[in-house]
Amino acid sequence: CVLCLTGCGENALRYEKMRSANGETVKNWVVESYEGVTAEVKEAVPDHLTVELYNDLEQDIVFEGWDGVYMERDGGWYMVQPPREVVSPSVDTISEERWQLPDNIQSGSGREFTLDFIEVYQGLTLPAGDYRIAISFDLSESDNDDDRLEIGKVWLDFTIS
């Protein structure tokens, strides 16, 4: 179910209502972040979000990317979608460059990352409101012979005024 909540048209953000397994609208959405990894908003403005990801684990982690932007509206949560169906290199995908230049965060340290909303949302900015985003990171040990990734997530709430 896709609902347009702001200026339905060719150049408007789309909002997809989140629903539970039984089809009901998600209202009191509680999320759990991976223990030992936290994120702090450094700047949340209509055109970008800058966060610092902190690693308090006893091992290094690798920033993998952003997993969707959600907006709280009318008592429910909605995933913010670009005007047209295209794959954005900034959200939900890992580029080839990511494998060549990993964004390591050493144990006991933090690192800033910025999500450019203009790039992700095809030239549009986000309206004022309350948002939530998931940040994915890889917990796999670098000397691990297994090619599988062990992905963790940290959730972050932020407000754009």
Side-chain angles (χ1 to χ4, degrees):
C1 175
V2 175
L3 300 175
C4 289
L5 297 177
T6 57
C8 288
E10 213 169 290
N11 260 347
L13 292 172
R14 296 176 300 126
Y15 297 85
E16 184 176 331
K17 187 178 269 189
M18 292 190 55
R19 298 190 183 277
S20 63
N22 64 5
E24 293 181 17
T25 300
V26 174
K27 293 182 190 253
N28 297 319
W29 182 23
V30 178
V31 295
E32 292 184 21
S33 293
Y34 194 92
E35 193 170 323
V37 179
T38 57
E40 178 184 342
V41 174
K42 293 298 186 177
E43 185 175 41
V45 293
D47 66 347
H48 71 272
L49 171 68
T50 300
V51 303
E52 185 161 6
L53 195 58
Y54 295 98
N55 176 11
D56 289 326
L57 300 173
E58 293 182 10
Q59 69 182 64
D60 293 355
I61 61 173
V62 178
F63 172 81
E64 289 293 332
W66 311 90
D67 288 332
V69 175
Y70 302 86
M71 182 180 197
E72 187 174 26
R73 192 164 189 150
D74 299 327
W77 285 94
Y78 296 78
M79 183 174 213
V80 183
Q81 302 282 1
R84 293 174 295 287
E85 294 283 338
V86 294
V87 175
S88 169
S90 295
V91 175
D92 293 333
T93 61
I94 301 171
S95 68
E96 292 296 323
E97 292 175 19
R98 178 85 56 230
W99 294 112
Q100 295 168 5
L101 303 169
D103 291 321
N104 292 326
I105 305 169
Q106 295 181 333
S107 175
S109 66
R111 189 163 170 194
E112 282 191 11
F113 297 94
T114 298
L115 176 59
D116 182 343
F117 296 134
I118 293 173
E119 178 183 345
V120 172
Y121 295 111
Q122 303 168 349
L124 300 177
T125 59
L126 294 184
D130 293 322
Y131 293 87
R132 177 172 283 169
I133 192 166
I135 303 167
S136 294
F137 52 91
D138 179 14
L139 295 149
S140 306
E141 297 288 340
S142 58
D143 58 357
N144 187 352
D145 290 335
D146 193 347
D147 286 341
R148 290 179 297 174
L149 298 178
E150 184 181 342
I151 302 296
K153 287 188 183 194
V154 62
W155 290 88
L156 182 66
D157 290 342
F158 63 99
T159 299
I160 295 178
S161 304

